Amino acid sequence: MTVGSPTHTGKVHAGLSYNCLTTLINRGPELADFPTKPCPAGIFVTHHFPA
Amino acid sequence: MKSSSAVLALALASTTEAGLRFGCSTLTIQRLDPVVEPGNAPSAHLHHIVGGNAFNATMTGDVGARGTCTTCQMAEDFSNYWTAVMYFKHPTNGSYHRVPVVNNAALAQGTTGGITVYYTQYDLSRDNIKQQPITAFKPVCSPAELGCGGILTGSRVSA
């Protein structure tokens, strides 16, 4: 199964969501689009199958 | 995301609701994708791969019979999981830099890079597995057979 596409240029990808990490264990809200600000502890990406 | 205690509580509450979560260290980073581009070496783009040691440019049949170890916590299964690799484009000189993967230390201390894998029913409270069959690589035996573990050996996931 696959999620997303390397040729996709739109904002929201079905099956993909993001968390902008404040710390390693503080994920904050789940976002439909890629974070637009720096995330201190990184970005947690969820790939949901099937999309 | 559910905490492990919530998953356990739900699993005990009913035999029809279940979830599974485990950590996997990075196995390798390669331009290979046996699902989307079987046999292509290199594939169109780079992937970050975790799981069993039977991973290859082409994968058919029962990977569980060929694998002997895995980077995942579940040592009984040799499934692979992979994602595209993200790059950072330098704002001034335009150069690209591969973004490193950070392990989920809160779940599995000692893992390196890697992926956290969740197997869930619809949302841990509704079961729609029959409406969302996992068929990327079909299992070679019935999920009902001992050791065939339908949801585990029958599933291979890529991104």
Side-chain angles (χ1 to χ4, degrees):
Chain A
M1 290 179 291
T2 63
V3 162
S5 166
T7 60
H8 186 85
T9 55
K11 281 218 158 189
V12 174
H13 300 242
L16 286 178
S17 58
Y18 310 88
N19 294 74
C20 188
L21 303 182
T22 306
T23 67
L24 195 57
I25 58 171
N26 183 355
R27 293 181 182 173
E30 194 165 278
L31 309 168
D33 198 9
F34 198 81
T36 54
K37 298 176 184 173
C39 300
I43 298 168
F44 185 95
V45 184
T46 301
H47 305 233
H48 186 274
F49 302 92
Chain B
M1 296 303 160
K2 311 291 184 185
S3 71
S4 57
S5 59
V7 171
L8 178 61
L10 283 167
L12 292 172
S14 168
T15 55
T16 60
E17 300 164 1
L20 177 65
R21 181 182 71 167
F22 53 94
C24 302
S25 288
T26 299
L27 173 68
T28 184
I29 294 173
Q30 300 288 340
R31 281 183 62 177
L32 296 174
D33 190 335
V35 167
V36 178
E37 299 179 70
N40 282 8
S43 61
H45 55 257
L46 193 64
H47 293 103
H48 164 242
I49 300 143
V50 306
N53 64 341
F55 182 82
N56 211 327
T58 302
M59 296 174 73
T60 56
D62 186 2
V63 69
R66 297 192 304 275
T68 56
C69 60
T70 177
T71 66
C72 296
Q73 286 178 296
M74 301 296 179
E76 296 82 1
D77 182 76
F78 305 112
S79 296
N80 290 104
Y81 310 87
W82 57 97
T83 69
V85 166
M86 187 166 72
Y87 280 84
F88 171 78
K89 184 179 182 183
H90 195 284
T92 53
N93 68 19
S95 60
Y96 286 91
H97 304 265
R98 180 160 59 85
V99 176
V101 180
V102 179
N103 78 321
N104 188 350
L107 171 66
Q109 291 184 350
T111 51
T112 304
I115 290 174
T116 304
V117 178
Y118 299 76
Y119 280 90
T120 66
Q121 293 170 329
Y122 188 76
D123 55 5
L124 292 180
S125 63
R126 286 173 289 174
D127 180 2
N128 71 340
I129 288 287
K130 289 178 181 174
Q131 283 73 49
Q132 299 190 39
I134 297 172
T135 57
F137 292 162
K138 293 183 194 298
V140 295
C141 52
S142 162
E145 289 182 53
L146 185 65
C148 200
I151 194 170
L152 280 174
T153 52
S155 57
R156 311 288 183 268
V157 188
S158 80

